[in-house]
Amino acid sequence: MARNILILGASYGSLLGTKLLMAGHNVTLVCRNKTAELINRDGTEVRIKLRDEAVHRAIFSRGLPGTLDAITPADVDLSRYDLVGLAMQEPQYTNHTIRVLMIKIAEAKLPCLSIMNMPPLPYLKRIPALADMDLEEAYTNAQVWERFKPGLVSLCSPDPQAFRPPEEAANVLHVGLPTNFKAAAFADEKHNLLLRKLEKDIDAVKLDGHDVPVKLKVFDSLFVPLAKWSMLLTGNYRCITPNEPQSIRDAVHSDLKLSQAIYDHVDAVARRLGADPQDQVPFEKYAKAAQSLLKPSSAARAVSAGAPFIERVDLLVKLISHQLGVPNAEIDRTVQTVDQKLNEKIVAGGSGSA
């Protein structure tokens, strides 16, 4: 039976959306009016490299078994949907029309699966060691999340690397690193049955007889998505420097010993919270993957382009480390650099200079 999935965010969201469409499910992408018009007219195109193939395949939504449509936040009818995917970057949820929709989603008590780097606050409340910590400072506006019941919100580690090619239309997504989405289970087994059904359906998809990368993997452990934190703190946020942004490869490999020390610290924090070492990704595997990441992270590109807000997993990990009594000087330094660069943009914008 086809299920109906609402995904907030048409850029990164189109990757998960395409996998669901290939499995025969129906997807609605929530986005701006112009992007919605483009997608409803032309569909989406996701470029992905299959195993042992030299070039990317273009997968067009129009030729897939599931049905795709796109819609603005104000026009969403929540009674149609079985599951909500949260695929926007965390600061975008402060937009007024998105906030109104988020209130309606919370009231509808729909299960929400986030594929943000920044874990939604209600998901963190499900982890006993974090439930009473003061973490709101890390969020652009923590009030967005206050109506959500924690058990209805889960996190899917956004390990696949993908970006919109700047020269292309807004309905095109290029997948650079086709790894898996690793989802923590919901509190309610009824919602987990749905997740596992989607997992199985996506796993069965073939393209010209070939397996298609980027699977949905569901785990009973709440902590599996936290493995991404080590990667973000070691690579993505260290792409932001006092000067021009650097690539993830350079952030990791310019001083491999320091990178491993940061990675190990964040892994240790996750274990303090309750993560099993088996939930985590060995540093060597991450460092090898980072060798192919030749662009600055999306966070670094956003700061460089003048964004006043970005997702602050760096600040979140700093706050948790300090409240656990295990601060880390390198992480504190990263947070200070990111703060400084964001403040530069705000001051420059406020003074009317470029």
Side-chain angles (χ1 to χ4, degrees), residues 267-290:
D267 270 359
V269 166
R271 288 196 296 275
R272 285 278 296 268
L273 299 177
D276 189 293
Q278 289 183 319
D279 294 338
Q280 299 173 326
V281 176
F283 174 74
E284 294 73 21
K285 185 176 180 181
Y286 169 67
K288 185 178 179 182

Side-chain angles (χ1 to χ4, degrees), residues 64-85:
L64 301 179
T67 301
L68 175 69
D69 69 317
I71 199 168
T72 59
D75 293 328
V76 173
D77 173 9
L78 289 171
S79 67
R80 291 177 51 197
Y81 300 102
D82 303 298
L83 176 74
V84 176

